[in-house]
Amino acid sequence: MKITNIQQAKSQLSKLIEAVLQGEDVIISKAGKPLVKIIPYTANSEPRKPGYWKGKVTMAEDFDTLPESIINSFTGVDE
């Protein structure tokens, strides 16, 4: 695993990318705390299909109805 700070990552980005492509884990840190992990990009094996969830998800009949108690909680009105 390779750990580098942001400044080093800026100046050695090409080398870090190459290390990731060779299978090495690369972590970029700031003030000694890990912030991000560089990982190789992988394309989805299957493209998205619009309508995939059609007929599989249902909404409750009262989905758009907000209970009075919830409204009161946001408006500060006592019940």
Side-chain angles (χ1 to χ4, degrees):
M1 179 183 311
K2 187 176 283 200
I3 300 175
T4 185
N5 65 38
I6 293 174
Q7 191 62 38
Q8 289 172 329
K10 285 180 183 180
S11 65
Q12 298 180 355
L13 184 59
S14 295
K15 290 180 183 179
L16 294 175
I17 290 172
E18 194 58 41
V20 168
L21 294 176
Q22 297 299 319
E24 190 170 353
D25 288 340
V26 174
I27 307 291
I28 299 175
S29 63
K30 182 177 183 180
K33 293 184 179 180
L35 294 178
V36 296
K37 178 179 182 180
I38 303 176
I39 61 169
Y41 172 78
T42 56
N44 292 337
S45 58
E46 288 185 34
R48 273 186 80 225
K49 295 177 185 162
Y52 177 79
W53 287 97
K54 187 174 184 173
K56 298 178 182 180
V57 177
T58 59
M59 295 283 194
E61 291 293 324
D62 63 348
F63 177 78
D64 289 326
T65 306
L66 194 58
E68 198 69 31
S69 62
I70 302 292
I71 294 171
N72 293 341
S73 295
F74 282 98
T75 60
V77 176
D78 291 333
E79 291 186 44

